[in-house]
PDB file of all heavy atoms in Angstrom:
ATOM      1  N   LYS J  63      51.675 -19.953-111.186  1.00  0.00           N
ATOM      2  CA  LYS J  63      51.082 -18.687-110.802  1.00  0.00           C
ATOM      3  C   LYS J  63      51.415 -18.309-109.394  1.00  0.00           C
ATOM      4  O   LYS J  63      51.975 -17.230-109.119  1.00  0.00           O
ATOM      5  CB  LYS J  63      49.568 -18.753-110.828  1.00  0.00           C
ATOM      6  CG  LYS J  63      49.059 -19.113-112.289  1.00  0.00           C
ATOM      7  CD  LYS J  63      47.456 -19.163-112.323  1.00  0.00           C
ATOM      8  CE  LYS J  63      46.788 -20.205-111.399  1.00  0.00           C
ATOM      9  NZ  LYS J  63      47.090 -21.621-111.807  1.00  0.00           N
ATOM     10  N   SER J  64      51.314 -19.305-108.418  1.00  0.00           N
ATOM     11  CA  SER J  64      51.621 -18.986-107.063  1.00  0.00           C
ATOM     12  C   SER J  64      53.035 -18.768-106.859  1.00  0.00           C
ATOM     13  O   SER J  64      53.499 -17.987-105.989  1.00  0.00           O
ATOM     14  CB  SER J  64      51.086 -20.089-106.100  1.00  0.00           C
ATOM     15  OG  SER J  64      49.653 -20.173-106.198  1.00  0.00           O
ATOM     16  N   ASP J 188      46.320 -13.967-104.374  1.00  0.00           N
ATOM     17  CA  ASP J 188      46.490 -15.364-105.009  1.00  0.00           C
ATOM     18  C   ASP J 188      45.167 -16.080-104.723  1.00  0.00           C
ATOM     19  O   ASP J 188      44.892 -16.638-103.597  1.00  0.00           O
ATOM     20  CB  ASP J 188      47.709 -16.071-104.324  1.00  0.00           C
ATOM     21  CG  ASP J 188      48.015 -17.386-105.066  1.00  0.00           C
ATOM     22  OD1 ASP J 188      47.189 -17.758-106.049  1.00  0.00           O
ATOM     23  OD2 ASP J 188      49.003 -17.996-104.757  1.00  0.00           O
ATOM     24  N   GLU J 189      44.403 -16.186-105.721  1.00  0.00           N
ATOM     25  CA  GLU J 189      43.110 -16.938-105.575  1.00  0.00           C
ATOM     26  C   GLU J 189      42.255 -16.317-104.430  1.00  0.00           C
ATOM     27  O   GLU J 189      41.661 -17.128-103.740  1.00  0.00           O
ATOM     28  CB  GLU J 189      43.185 -18.383-105.489  1.00  0.00           C
ATOM     29  CG  GLU J 189      44.094 -19.093-106.517  1.00  0.00           C
ATOM     30  CD  GLU J 189      43.322 -19.264-107.861  1.00  0.00           C
ATOM     31  OE1 GLU J 189      42.119 -18.837-108.049  1.00  0.00           O
ATOM     32  OE2 GLU J 189      43.962 -19.901-108.723  1.00  0.00           O
ATOM     33  N   ILE J 220      45.821 -13.288-109.106  1.00  0.00           N
ATOM     34  CA  ILE J 220      45.992 -14.614-109.580  1.00  0.00           C
ATOM     35  C   ILE J 220      44.733 -15.394-109.459  1.00  0.00           C
ATOM     36  O   ILE J 220      44.028 -15.337-108.520  1.00  0.00           O
ATOM     37  CB  ILE J 220      47.189 -15.271-108.795  1.00  0.00           C
ATOM     38  CG1 ILE J 220      48.487 -14.622-109.245  1.00  0.00           C
ATOM     39  CG2 ILE J 220      47.134 -16.733-108.980  1.00  0.00           C
ATOM     40  CD1 ILE J 220      49.492 -14.637-108.211  1.00  0.00           C
TER      41      ILE J 220
HETATM   42 MG1   MG F  23      48.410 -21.548-106.908  1.00  0.00          MG
END
Side-chain angles (χ1 to χ4, degrees):
K63 303 182 298 295
S64 295
D188 190 353
E189 304 282 7
I220 286 151

